[in-house]
Amino acid sequence: MVETAKHLIYAKEHNKIDISEGGVYRIHYRGAKDKVTVTVKEGIRAFVSERFCPRTPEVKVDFILEQGAEIVLSAFCDVPSAILSHNVKLKSDSNFSGHFGYVGKSVKDDWKLDLYKGSTAELNTVSFCKDTDNHYHHLVSRQIEGNNQIKYNGRGVAYMQAICKFETQGIIDKGSANAICNHKSRVLTLSDEAKAEVDPSLIIDEYDVQAGHSGSVGRINQDELFYMMSRGLSEKEVIQLISNGFLVSKIEGFLTAPDRKRFYKAIEQ
């Protein structure tokens, strides 16, 4: 167990991490074999970035936010194959904000968020797929008590023969009056061969709530593509501009400087 874990933390050395002081943390999952549990103590505000490793493609992590705790969690995952599972438990009056970017050959991204009274959660996920990449993003949010709020934004770009899928489910339990649930997923395809799927759903067992979901799959307008290329841009440059504009705005201000550079480089390549 790590007491007041700060700065760089290797999960292979500590499968239980307590954050009892505010600050900036980085958790590296290289070599982690078991599920990692991170607890943010009562009233603590922490900024945490995650680093994944090709040699440890499967990561399972639980985040527990005690009463009044706040965490801003971010990561850019560019390992060739990744199976990632995040379970986040938000106790009363806690706040979670997540910002994640993904590139890679095979990505399976699974989230579960449990919200209690007065808690708020926001998750932004962006995914860039090319060649024969296959990205699958899955979210289940469960609002267990009232007066809490969840907001999800998922965006993907699929190019060449890539596949990108977002599947979300919002569950509002009985007794969760005044809960707010909003899930949005959008995928942009840049070629005829690319495939995209958006599958949102809601399960509501309470009357006095605000809940909605939306999903869209669209193709780049060929007239716009021709117009930009007629101004001297190559097809590659157009794709870079569109991908950056569609994806980066959701995570740019939250990724660390090295992660931002890796994200830009991945799209340029």
Side-chain angles (χ1 to χ4, degrees):
M1 170 115 23
V2 177
E3 295 294 335
T4 315
K6 298 189 68 172
H7 306 304
L8 179 61
I9 305 167
Y10 286 96
K12 67 178 180 180
E13 301 172 357
H14 312 282
N15 62 355
K16 292 185 181 297
I17 301 168
D18 284 353
I19 297 179
S20 54
E21 287 187 3
V24 180
Y25 300 80
R26 176 179 286 270
I27 301 175
H28 205 306
Y29 294 103
R30 183 177 64 197
K33 297 180 180 179
D34 301 319
K35 178 185 288 188
V36 179
T37 301
V38 181
T39 302
V40 184
K41 293 298 185 178
E42 182 175 347
I44 297 300
R45 187 183 188 191
F47 298 84
V48 179
S49 61
E50 296 182 307
R51 177 60 61 86
F52 306 102
C53 176
R55 296 183 180 181
T56 310
E58 186 169 357
V59 172
K60 296 179 180 180
V61 56
D62 289 350
F63 281 92
I64 301 173
L65 278 64
E66 294 188 349
Q67 183 175 359
E70 181 177 354
I71 186 173
V72 178
L73 183 67
S74 68
F76 170 63
C77 180
D78 59 352
V79 300
S81 177
I83 302 174
L84 309 177
S85 176
H86 289 84
N87 294 324
V88 183
K89 183 177 181 180
L90 291 90
K91 295 186 179 180
S92 60
D93 301 317
S94 61
N95 182 39
F96 169 81
S97 178
H99 308 269
F100 281 73
Y102 298 91
V103 299
K105 196 72 177 175
S106 175
V107 173
K108 186 176 180 181
D109 168 41
D110 187 66
W111 286 86
K112 181 181 178 183
L113 290 89
D114 290 339
L115 289 82
Y116 289 83
K117 185 177 181 180
S119 61
T120 62
E122 177 183 355
L123 177 61
N124 296 288
T125 299
V126 302
S127 189
F128 181 79
C129 326
K130 60 182 178 58
D131 297 326
T132 57
D133 295 351
N134 190 332
H135 290 196
Y136 171 60
H137 302 278
H138 179 248
L139 164 75
V140 176
S141 66
R142 185 166 188 173
Q143 293 164 269
I144 300 171
E145 296 177 346
N147 294 302
N148 55 45
Q149 180 174 346
I150 170 72
K151 181 179 181 181
Y152 176 74
N153 281 292
R155 290 193 179 189
V157 169
Y159 182 51
M160 303 173 75
Q161 293 86 37
I163 301 173
C164 186
K165 180 178 180 179
F166 286 86
E167 183 179 359
T168 64
Q169 184 180 69
I171 302 172
I172 302 179
D173 286 351
K174 185 69 176 177
S176 297
N178 299 315
I180 301 175
C181 178
N182 189 356
H183 292 176
K184 294 181 180 179
S185 302
R186 299 174 62 191
V187 182
L188 180 65
T189 59
L190 301 181
S191 62
D192 292 333
E193 297 83 10
K195 297 180 180 180
E197 185 177 344
V198 176
D199 184 11
S201 63
L202 292 171
I203 300 175
I204 302 173
D205 196 24
E206 181 58 72
Y207 290 100
D208 190 13
V209 301
Q210 298 180 42
H213 59 65
S214 64
S216 65
V217 174
R219 173 73 192 275
I220 182 175
N221 189 294
Q222 294 299 307
D223 292 337
E224 294 177 357
L225 178 63
F226 176 77
Y227 175 82
M228 296 176 73
M229 294 179 65
S230 71
R231 294 301 185 267
L233 296 174
S234 66
E235 183 178 1
K236 179 181 178 181
E237 290 172 327
V238 172
I239 290 172
Q240 289 177 8
L241 287 172
I242 293 173
S243 299
N244 276 319
F246 188 69
L247 299 178
V248 171
S249 62
K250 289 296 178 184
I251 60 172
E252 182 179 30
F254 298 92
L255 294 183
T256 62
D259 286 345
R260 285 199 302 270
K261 293 179 180 178
R262 289 163 57 218
F263 185 72
Y264 296 146
K265 185 177 180 180
I267 294 180
E268 289 173 1
Q269 291 177 340

